């Protein structure tokens, strides 16, 4: 009997020890599921690390093709960050065509897929509007608006502005510049200055103050003491004239630089005169110079300077210009328009200008400008200037309207 009790006690003790052993995971048996779950979690963590983020809309704010670096800024965010790109990075234009990274510029708005700190794909966005070759615009810095034709767009303090991949401020934009606007709806998020402006600084203006300066077909203004004039970058014929003195020279204007012109060097020997031949249509038109009728049958000799020129004919709108005489000879053709023709021409010019601003494709991006389109636009602008009362310079050739 005692022996049976001992056996029972040993059995109970064994059962207890087995129970304690099952509660200790480090010593217990397993069917392998715990190890499997652990491996699955590790694989999932690695998979998450390698997962590429969904595409987001960014603004390119910096690009270093030598080091394969690109700086991106979320279009609604203030923070920007630098990322790497590799030869495996897909780079496409808005139509899906492959392009090189150096074909992108700061200010471009792009859809980007990222993998940690590396750009996996980048494509010019087709979700935005792009208005290129904008050169007839007004900026209201108080209202923070840019008006192009009849359309107004707004911007905020975070608008990104670039000139040849260099960041500049809104205050550095001149209405002499040519812009490319990028944004969504009516809000501008990025501005690329595609053609900037420089400054012509006039020295020794005493002889010419009250006279005239003409720079290409860009502008013609009265000369003031120590004058500074903003001019679009490019090469122009600069002419000055006043009271029998004057001359011209070629100037090259570089963006964000000053070009100094010493008017003493253009004065020359004086007084100087110009021989001008006028051809006026219709035949019954009468031409007046400073109120005096001009004999159109022979060339007219005029001293360098500024004159009031008017042409009139029955049934036609009056034609008026300020004539700047600043060359040795000139042939000027003047063609009057009827009142109806003048109104129609003004309307056509305004519509053409508006159309060139709003000529967008289905994605909201302005169609690329062809050579013929550019020539047409230039002709429109010349027509506008010819229709309106303005300045005519003998050094700039002839007037057709």
């Amino acid at each position: 009997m005692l022996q049976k009790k001992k056996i029972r006690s040993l059995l109970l003790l064994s059962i207890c020890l087995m129970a304690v052993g099952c509660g200790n995971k480090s010593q217990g048996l397993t069917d392998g599921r715990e190890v499997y779950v652990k491996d699955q979690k590790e694989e999932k963590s690695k998979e998450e690390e390698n997962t590429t983020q969904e595409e987001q809309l960014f603004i390119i704010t910096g690009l270093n093709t030598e080091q394969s670096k690109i700086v991106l800024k979320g279009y609604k965010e203030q923070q920007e960050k630098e990322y790497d790109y590799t030869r495996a990075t897909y780079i496409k234009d808005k139509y899906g065509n492959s392009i090189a990274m150096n074909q992108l510029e700061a200010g471009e708005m792009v859809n980007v897929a990222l993998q940690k700190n590396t750009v996996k794909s980048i494509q010019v966005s087709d979700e935005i509007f792009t208005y290129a070759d904008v050169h007839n615009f007004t900026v209201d810095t108080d209202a923070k608006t840019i008006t192009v034709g009849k359309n107004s767009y707004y911007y905020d303090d975070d608008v990104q502005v670039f000139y040849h991949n260099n960041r500049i401020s809104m205050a550095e934009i001149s209405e002499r510049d040519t812009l490319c606007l990028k944004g969504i709806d009516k809000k501008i998020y990025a501005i690329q200055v595609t053609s900037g402006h420089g400054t012509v600084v006039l020295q020794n203006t005493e002889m010419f103050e009250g006279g005239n300066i003409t720079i290409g077909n860009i502008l013609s203004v009265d000369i003031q003491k120590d004058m500074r004039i903003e001019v679009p970058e490019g090469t122009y014929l600069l002419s000055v004239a006043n009271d029998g003195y004057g001359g011209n020279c070629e100037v090259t204007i570089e963006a964000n630089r000053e070009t100094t012109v010493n008017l003493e060097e253009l004065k020359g020997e004086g007084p100087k005169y110009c021989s001008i031949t006028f051809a006026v249509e219709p035949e019954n038109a009468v031409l007046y110079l400073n109120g005096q009728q001009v004999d159109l049958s022979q060339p007219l000799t005029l001293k360098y300077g500024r004159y009031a020129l008017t042409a009139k004919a029955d049934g036609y709108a009056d034609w008026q210009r300020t004539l700047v005489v600043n060359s040795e000879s000139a042939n000027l053709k003047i063609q009057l328009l009827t009142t109806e023709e003048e109104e129609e021409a003004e309307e056509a010019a305004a519509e053409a200008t508006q159309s060139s601003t709003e000529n967008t494709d289905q994605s909201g991006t302005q169609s690329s400008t062809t050579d013929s389109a550019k020539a047409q636009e230039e002709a429109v602008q010349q027509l506008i200037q010819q229709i309106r009362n303005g300045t005519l310079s003998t050094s700039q050739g002839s007037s057709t309207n």
Side-chain angles (χ1 to χ4, degrees):
M1 187 74 176
L2 181 60
Q3 187 174 2
K4 289 182 178 179
K5 288 182 178 180
K6 287 181 178 179
I7 292 171
R8 288 176 182 171
S9 298
L10 290 171
L11 289 172
L12 289 171
L13 180 61
S14 298
I15 292 170
C16 290
L17 289 172
M18 288 177 66
V20 171
C22 290
N24 189 344
K25 292 184 180 180
S26 63
Q27 297 178 1
L29 298 177
T30 177
D31 60 4
R33 284 180 295 180
E34 290 177 316
V35 175
Y36 174 76
V37 171
K38 183 177 180 181
D39 290 345
Q40 188 181 46
K41 287 181 179 179
E42 289 178 354
E43 290 177 3
K44 185 176 181 181
S45 176
K46 291 179 180 179
E47 183 180 349
E48 287 176 349
E49 287 181 1
N50 293 326
T51 299
T52 300
Q53 298 178 10
E54 292 185 0
E55 286 189 348
Q56 302 177 56
L57 182 60
F58 290 91
I59 301 172
I60 299 176
T61 59
L63 189 60
N64 187 332
T65 55
E66 292 182 358
Q67 298 182 8
S68 298
K69 302 283 187 181
I70 187 170
V71 183
L72 300 173
K73 173 187 175 298
Y75 78 105
K76 287 186 176 180
E77 301 173 3
Q78 292 188 346
Q79 187 176 3
E80 54 187 3
K81 184 178 178 181
E82 185 179 72
Y83 297 90
D84 298 315
Y85 66 88
T86 68
R87 292 184 178 181
T89 301
Y90 291 98
I91 309 167
K92 299 180 179 180
D93 63 16
K94 71 167 188 163
Y95 303 107
N97 301 316
S98 295
I99 58 175
M101 187 64 80
N102 60 14
Q103 291 179 261
L104 299 176
E105 293 185 336
E108 192 66 77
M109 298 184 72
V110 291
N111 294 319
V112 180
L114 300 170
Q115 182 176 304
K116 298 188 69 175
N117 293 323
T118 303
V119 174
K120 299 302 294 181
S121 68
I122 182 169
Q123 182 171 1
V124 177
S125 178
D126 61 356
E127 303 169 359
I128 66 168
F129 70 75
T130 297
Y131 291 135
D133 294 327
V134 177
H135 51 265
N136 289 318
F137 63 91
T138 56
V139 179
D140 187 334
T141 54
D142 293 330
K144 295 181 180 177
T145 60
I146 297 178
T147 301
V148 186
K150 297 180 180 178
N151 297 324
S152 290
Y153 305 87
Y154 70 95
Y155 61 90
D156 58 25
D157 292 334
D158 197 36
V159 64
Q160 302 296 301
V161 188
F162 299 91
Y163 173 74
H164 291 184
N165 289 322
N166 296 312
R167 183 182 271 115
I168 62 175
S169 67
M170 280 297 300
E172 295 177 83
I173 291 181
S174 166
E175 293 179 4
R176 300 285 185 185
D177 295 341
T178 301
L179 309 181
C180 180
L181 309 178
K182 299 177 182 290
I184 299 174
D185 294 329
K186 290 290 185 178
K187 183 174 182 180
I188 300 170
Y189 287 96
I191 301 173
Q192 296 170 321
V193 179
T194 55
S195 178
H197 68 279
T199 304
V200 173
V201 180
L202 302 184
Q203 293 182 339
N204 298 320
T205 56
E206 292 80 3
M207 172 66 71
F208 294 96
E209 289 172 19
N212 178 273
I213 180 170
T214 301
I215 302 178
N217 59 0
I218 300 298
L219 56 83
S220 182
V221 295
D222 293 345
I223 297 175
Q224 301 175 11
K225 181 177 176 61
D226 300 327
M227 197 173 191
R228 300 171 62 88
I229 309 170
E230 286 187 353
V231 181
E233 58 182 320
T235 300
Y236 307 95
L237 179 66
L238 180 150
S239 303
V240 293
N242 188 40
D243 194 26
Y245 291 86
N248 56 69
C249 65
E250 187 177 89
V251 293
T252 297
I253 309 301
E254 297 181 17
N256 305 317
R257 292 182 179 275
E258 292 185 351
T259 300
T260 301
V261 178
N262 184 355
L263 298 191
E264 182 69 26
E265 297 176 355
L266 297 181
K267 182 179 69 172
E269 299 294 330
K272 295 180 179 179
Y273 293 87
C274 176
S275 176
I276 307 175
T277 300
F278 293 98
V280 186
E281 296 181 4
E283 293 182 357
N284 64 334
V286 179
L287 185 66
Y288 299 91
L289 184 76
N290 287 350
Q292 300 295 317
Q293 185 172 340
V294 176
D295 182 1
L296 299 177
S297 63
Q298 56 186 0
L300 181 65
T301 300
L302 293 176
K303 186 168 67 171
Y304 276 29
R306 185 170 50 186
Y307 303 84
L309 195 61
T310 305
K312 297 182 179 182
D314 291 340
Y316 290 82
D318 289 353
W319 183 97
Q320 299 178 14
R321 295 291 185 277
T322 295
L323 174 65
V324 177
V325 178
N326 52 13
S327 64
E328 294 182 358
S329 63
N331 296 310
L332 301 181
K333 181 180 178 181
I334 302 170
Q335 183 175 355
L336 276 61
L337 301 176
T338 65
T339 303
E340 292 181 357
E341 288 174 336
E342 187 177 59
E343 291 176 354
E344 290 175 358
E346 276 194 314
E347 290 176 2
E351 288 175 2
T353 303
Q354 182 70 12
S355 175
S356 67
T357 302
E358 297 178 345
N359 181 23
T360 59
D361 57 23
Q362 293 180 352
S363 67
T365 303
Q366 186 176 30
S367 303
S368 58
T369 305
T370 63
D371 291 340
S372 61
K374 287 183 178 179
Q376 182 180 13
E377 184 176 353
E378 290 176 358
V380 167
Q381 296 305 320
Q382 290 177 3
L383 179 60
I384 292 174
Q385 294 300 322
Q386 290 164 357
I387 291 171
R388 297 171 181 169
N389 293 343
T391 302
L392 174 63
S393 169
T394 61
S395 63
Q396 299 301 321
S398 63
S399 171
T400 57
N401 291 97

